[in-house]
Amino acid sequence: MNNSTRDFIFGDGNTMNSLFRQFSMGAIAFAVVQTANAQLSITNIVPMEVPGQGTEIRVMFNGIPPQPAAYQLEQPSRLVLDFEKAQQKLQQKVVPVATKEANSVDVSSDDQRSRLTVNLANSGAFTTRVEGNTFILKINSAETAVKPKNTPVQQQLAKGVSNIGFQRGMDGEGQIVIDLLGKDTPVDVQQSGSKIIVRTIGNKIPTHLARRLNVNDFATPVSTIDSHNDGTNGVITIQATGGYEYMAYQAENKLTISLKRPIDQNAAKPRSATSYTGQKLSLDFQDIEVRRVLQLLADFTNINIVAADNVSGSISLRLKDVPWDQALDIILKAKNLDMRRTGNVIWVAPVEELIKFEDNQAKAIAQSIKLAPIQTEYIVLHYAKAADILKLLEDSRDSKGAESNGTSGGGSLALESLLSARGSVVSDSRTNTLIINDTAVNIDKVRKMIDLLDVAVKQVMVEARVVTADTTFARELGINWNLQRGNPSLALGPNGSTVWGGDFSPKFDLGVELGTASAGSFSFGLLKISDYMLNLELTAMQSDGHGEVLSAPKVLTGDKQKAYILRGDQIPYQTWSAESGVTTTFVDANLKLEVTPSITPDGKVQMALKIEKDTLGELTLAGYAIKTNELETNVLVGDGETVVLGGIFDDAKSNTYRKVPFLGDIPVVGNLFKSNVKTNLQSELLIFVTPRIVNDSVSRNH
């Protein structure tokens, strides 16, 4: 083949070399682009300070930088940037910054992304931009005045405050709910002494909301809520009273500030069912994926969080000083999610999916119980009676389940709550034994119940003392006038007393007898006229009496078991009727102590007491009267302590005068024609009770 033919087919040498070079360079360029796209990575990080503006952190890539997902954390202040599908080839894991706005940059990466964590000196605003292969993060200086930008009317309407409300929480906390026009409305929350100050940056509060709300009557830490405008910013001042703790969190367009009293650290005090104990954190998210937030919480708590496949969507949150478990609860409620925790793993899924899963799980358990083999168990009771346990089960059984199993009228039991549908229980009173026929799982349930109920009961000795004390005092003074004649011996006067003045004996009475019935007397003659003598008899008596009756009944009984002790007489009474004639009935006159003690968890005794003390009274025409003293109360007393339950004090005073009309009214001389009887009767009843726990060494579940 000649040169012309070869050149026509293949071209000359210069042409072939040019085409080959063009093809090779195109292939190499295509390969370089593909390699760069496949292995995008961070090559360098250069921080620098811009005087008067802030700090710039330049992140250099080997290609076009991707747009990162950015969110800010507080306590400590951090700014997190996640670059998806980007690697890092830096030898240095911590890049120092040392400016007024930032301290350092932490670099980390995995197979999916690279993360830059900027440790801020103070939380502030930031901006980002891209210049070629360099991503520039600018952190604005805190000293720079924030001037609102001119925005279109549509954006102005999408920001600001639409409503300010207040509500009282379940645990007595005060909740200020601020409705925002847009979820991206800039809000700053700061604490200043007893005040919480909320500022809406660049957005004023509407005129109808600029007022004071007095919420002091709701019994929360919040006293007043003042709203006003300061320039272009809206200011909401929350005034608190006393000690308080506060949290601020935002879910979508609702900002909630919650103030509550400090939690009592007393371990004996029960916690609220909705109390949160997790470590506090602050988050600021704007349209971040829910799965990303869950991953952030997992990194913060070192707890494994597994999200279901259908957990999706984004959320905007602003949380400040909120426990992480409450933050998780807020996220789940906002997206209609729920969780189930097992050990160190939390499973997050939609509510409907969890309900369906638990329903299927319950059906599987029921099916396994239905197919499980039947076993027989003999349980011997030590303290409780088998019949009582069986009756307890009968009182709580499902009557329909019992009827379906044909055991509703017999001695066995089909209990749906503790036993399966195929299970039954019978009792043997002679050996105090329960015979259970059921699956192993249900037998364990019954055994667990018996372990709680079949325990020794503490014994309580209750001693009562009923003390009755009587004090009597009486003083009598009187005068008896009479006239006597014809007594030769002159030895005996009226009433057998000695007289003087002649031989006279009483013939008639003058009708002036004011003497006492049972008193000492002294008689003497005053005037003798012929055969007559005027006699004066003085009588006087004084008596004191003291009496005390002590009754001390005591009884030993078990915890929460009623007991009584009684002693007394039966007094007969006869009645007559035309039909039955004379009949005899008996009335009780007893000393009775009735008590039901209950031992509290702190070792005290709660007693329901009834004490009666009857005594025989005076004899009447119908028979003897019965004096009754009775007390019924409920009292809490410490072990071994004595308490005075009550008492009755009677004080009866009497002062009786008798006198001769006209003569008894004469001054001084009238005392000779008077009789005075003075009595004082005092009676007091006191009741003392002392409980003592006997067998303290035996433990019991209260």
Side-chain angles (χ1 to χ4, degrees), residues 331-352:
I331 296 170
L332 298 179
K333 290 181 179 179
K335 305 302 292 186
N336 195 25
L337 302 174
D338 204 352
M339 69 173 182
R340 297 294 184 267
R341 181 167 182 173
T342 305
N344 199 36
V345 179
I346 296 178
W347 178 36
V348 178
V351 177
E352 296 81 4

Side-chain angles (χ1 to χ4, degrees), residues 120-183:
L120 303 174
N122 295 294
S123 57
F126 64 91
T127 59
T128 61
R129 69 179 189 273
V130 176
E131 295 181 356
N133 293 345
T134 303
F135 176 85
I136 302 174
L137 171 65
K138 182 181 179 181
I139 305 172
N140 297 329
S141 175
E143 300 176 356
T144 304
V146 179
K147 298 182 179 180
K149 298 181 178 181
N150 296 326
T151 56
V153 179
Q154 293 81 0
Q155 295 184 3
Q156 291 290 342
L157 295 177
K159 297 181 180 180
V161 178
S162 62
N163 188 34
I164 301 174
F166 176 84
Q167 61 185 18
R168 189 178 189 274
M170 297 295 294
D171 297 329
E173 69 273 14
Q175 297 179 351
I176 298 90
V177 181
I178 303 174
D179 293 333
L180 305 175
L181 293 175
K183 59 185 179 181

Side-chain angles (χ1 to χ4, degrees), residues 59-131:
V59 184
M60 302 177 184
F61 291 81
N62 60 354
I64 299 176
Q67 185 65 29
Y71 46 91
Q72 193 170 352
L73 308 178
E74 295 188 10
Q75 294 186 352
S77 296
R78 292 167 292 171
L79 180 61
V80 181
L81 302 175
D82 285 343
F83 296 93
E84 294 291 340
K85 299 180 180 179
Q87 304 295 318
Q88 60 92 12
K89 299 181 179 179
L90 303 178
Q91 300 294 330
Q92 198 175 4
K93 299 298 182 182
V94 179
V95 179
V97 179
T99 63
K100 295 181 180 180
E101 291 75 30
N103 299 324
S104 62
V105 179
D106 298 333
V107 184
S108 61
S109 63
D110 55 18
D111 296 337
Q112 300 294 330
R113 64 185 179 276
S114 293
R115 172 173 291 182
L116 302 183
T117 304
V118 183
N119 298 313
L120 303 174
N122 295 294
S123 57
F126 64 91
T127 59
T128 61
R129 69 179 189 273
V130 176
E131 295 181 356

Side-chain angles (χ1 to χ4, degrees), residues 326-524:
Q326 185 178 11
L328 178 60
D329 192 28
I330 293 172
I331 296 170
L332 298 179
K333 290 181 179 179
K335 305 302 292 186
N336 195 25
L337 302 174
D338 204 352
M339 69 173 182
R340 297 294 184 267
R341 181 167 182 173
T342 305
N344 199 36
V345 179
I346 296 178
W347 178 36
V348 178
V351 177
E352 296 81 4
E353 182 176 342
L354 287 176
I355 294 175
K356 184 178 179 181
F357 171 78
E358 292 174 348
D359 184 56
N360 294 333
Q361 191 178 26
K363 291 180 179 179
I365 295 174
Q367 185 68 17
S368 63
I369 295 175
K370 186 177 180 181
L371 300 177
I374 297 295
Q375 301 179 4
T376 301
E377 186 78 13
Y378 302 89
I379 301 177
V380 179
L381 304 179
H382 299 87
Y383 302 99
K385 295 182 179 180
D388 295 339
I389 299 296
L390 183 62
K391 186 178 183 302
L392 180 64
L393 298 176
E394 289 177 345
D395 293 339
S396 60
R397 70 180 176 182
D398 187 357
S399 58
K400 296 182 180 179
E403 292 175 359
S404 63
N405 290 277
T407 60
S408 59
S412 61
L413 172 66
L415 184 65
E416 296 291 338
S417 59
L418 294 178
L419 303 179
S420 66
R422 300 180 295 161
S424 64
V425 176
V426 296
S427 65
D428 182 37
S429 58
R430 187 179 64 87
T431 59
N432 203 32
T433 303
L434 286 178
I435 305 172
I436 307 172
N437 295 311
D438 209 336
T439 62
V441 176
N442 295 95
I443 290 177
D444 291 339
K445 293 180 182 179
V446 178
R447 184 181 292 278
K448 192 175 292 183
M449 181 199 70
I450 292 176
D451 291 339
L452 294 175
L453 301 180
D454 188 25
V455 294
V457 179
K458 285 184 177 182
Q459 304 293 311
V460 181
M461 174 68 76
V462 180
E463 181 179 359
R465 292 188 296 276
V466 183
V467 181
T468 304
D470 297 325
T471 301
T472 59
F473 173 81
R475 185 173 62 190
E476 303 178 6
L477 181 64
I479 295 177
N480 183 20
W481 294 91
N482 57 64
L483 189 65
Q484 300 177 348
R485 68 169 295 187
N487 187 1
S489 65
L490 301 177
L492 299 177
N495 301 325
S497 60
T498 303
V499 299
W500 60 271
D503 47 352
F504 294 94
S505 62
K507 294 299 182 180
F508 59 92
D509 200 322
L510 296 180
V512 185
E513 184 176 357
L514 302 176
T516 60
S518 60
S521 61
F522 177 73
S523 303
F524 60 93

Side-chain angles (χ1 to χ4, degrees), residues 456-464 553-565 593-600 603-609 635-641 689-698 700 702:
V457 179
K458 285 184 177 182
Q459 304 293 311
V460 181
M461 174 68 76
V462 180
E463 181 179 359
K554 57 182 178 180
V555 62
L556 178 66
T557 183
D559 183 22
K560 298 179 179 63
Q561 296 182 2
K562 182 178 180 180
Y564 75 92
I565 186 172
L593 170 63
E594 183 178 301
V595 60
T596 304
S598 179
I599 303 175
T600 62
K604 297 183 178 180
V605 181
Q606 183 82 33
M607 296 180 294
L609 279 165
V635 64
L636 179 65
V637 189
D639 182 22
E641 296 180 357
V689 172
T690 304
R692 291 184 176 87
I693 301 175
V694 177
N695 54 339
D696 245 333
S697 60
V698 182
R700 181 177 183 269
H702 295 281

